[in-house]
Amino acid sequence: MKEYHEKLDAILSDSSKFERLTRNPTEDIKRDANRVISTINAATNTVHLPPIQGDFSLGYLYGNMKTHKEGNPLCPIISQTPASTYALAKCLNQILTPYVPSRYSLSSSVEFLEEIRDSPGTGIIASLDVESLFTNVPVDETIDIIMDRVYRDPSTAPLNIPEASLHTLLDICTKRAPFSTHRGQMFCQKDGVAMGSPLGVLFANFYMGAV
């Protein structure tokens, strides 16, 4: 257990990714998010985001051990299920998923098998792994990629949500998502997206599909 805690401490010591908090910002986050949600709901009849209501807890950090790698490093998981922005992040994920670039991705293992079956049978299949992908996704750059894709790409119909409002909500759900640690401390992940966030896969797919 001591080694497990020390590995989590080492992850949290990266000040470029994590910021220690001295107070619980949940009520501030609810207020700021609801202000933007009200703006969106008043601006369009085609998209309705439910306001954030009720009491919420902080997300929480734990680690999954990578037993297949030397030193058995931990993969940090930040469960945001109890957090105030969890349901909002799920809504945004559903709204934005149709805009994810698909040029370099496959939708399922069935599609992969079809590609292999139709290939000429020459060449090499390689599996490349991006180390700590979610943690290393640059949030600000990825939000800009999403904005360009949703509002300025001629191949997609613009979303009927004010751009500035969507930008703010994505920022809130990723950079203002507080969580508690194994030592009872409060942190937020200020860059990179959290495994455990409904937006984690979405942001990774947008970023990897654009770079």
Side-chain angles (χ1 to χ4, degrees):
M1 184 62 71
K2 179 182 178 182
E3 182 181 359
Y4 171 82
H5 287 170
E6 288 175 346
K7 288 180 178 180
L8 286 179
D9 289 338
I11 291 170
L12 292 170
S13 69
D14 184 352
S15 59
S16 69
K17 303 292 184 184
F18 300 99
E19 180 181 1
R20 177 82 179 272
L21 303 177
T22 57
R23 56 181 292 270
N24 188 338
T26 296
E27 291 303 315
D28 295 338
I29 292 170
K30 286 171 57 178
R31 182 192 63 243
D32 294 344
N34 278 333
R35 186 182 298 122
V36 180
I37 289 170
S38 295
T39 299
I40 292 174
N41 291 342
T44 175
N45 293 322
T46 59
V47 176
H48 178 79
L49 297 175
I52 302 173
Q53 299 176 331
D55 296 324
F56 299 91
S57 303
L58 297 174
Y60 55 91
L61 169 72
Y62 64 95
N64 280 348
M65 185 173 292
K66 300 179 181 180
T67 57
H68 61 291
K69 293 191 175 181
E70 185 178 354
N72 296 330
L74 293 183
C75 175
I77 312 293
I78 302 173
S79 175
Q80 295 184 354
T81 304
S84 60
T85 56
Y86 181 76
L88 173 61
K90 287 185 68 174
C91 287
L92 295 177
N93 177 66
Q94 184 177 13
I95 290 170
L96 293 173
T97 292
Y99 291 89
V100 174
S102 58
R103 180 180 178 185
Y104 302 114
S105 63
L106 299 174
S107 61
S108 67
S109 57
V110 173
E111 186 177 353
F112 172 74
L113 291 174
E114 290 175 351
E115 290 283 342
I116 296 299
R117 192 177 298 116
D118 296 337
S119 69
T122 58
I124 298 173
I125 296 177
S127 176
L128 304 178
D129 179 36
V130 179
E131 183 176 354
S132 302
L133 171 59
F134 282 29
T135 305
N136 289 317
V137 169
V139 171
D140 290 334
E141 182 178 346
T142 304
I143 291 178
D144 288 340
I145 290 170
I146 294 173
M147 296 300 104
D148 287 339
R149 176 73 174 174
V150 171
Y151 295 102
R152 284 172 285 281
D153 192 317
S155 67
T156 60
L159 189 60
N160 193 17
I161 291 178
E163 181 176 347
S165 297
L166 179 61
H167 192 291
T168 299
L169 289 185
L170 290 174
D171 189 87
I172 289 173
C173 288
T174 51
K175 297 168 68 176
R176 295 179 61 188
F179 62 91
S180 61
T181 73
H182 54 296
R183 300 193 187 280
Q185 301 165 326
M186 290 185 295
F187 279 81
C188 70
Q189 185 170 343
K190 61 183 182 180
D191 199 19
V193 288
M195 293 190 68
S197 166
L199 294 173
V201 173
L202 182 87
F203 269 54
N205 285 339
F206 264 110
Y207 183 69
M208 294 300 292
V211 297

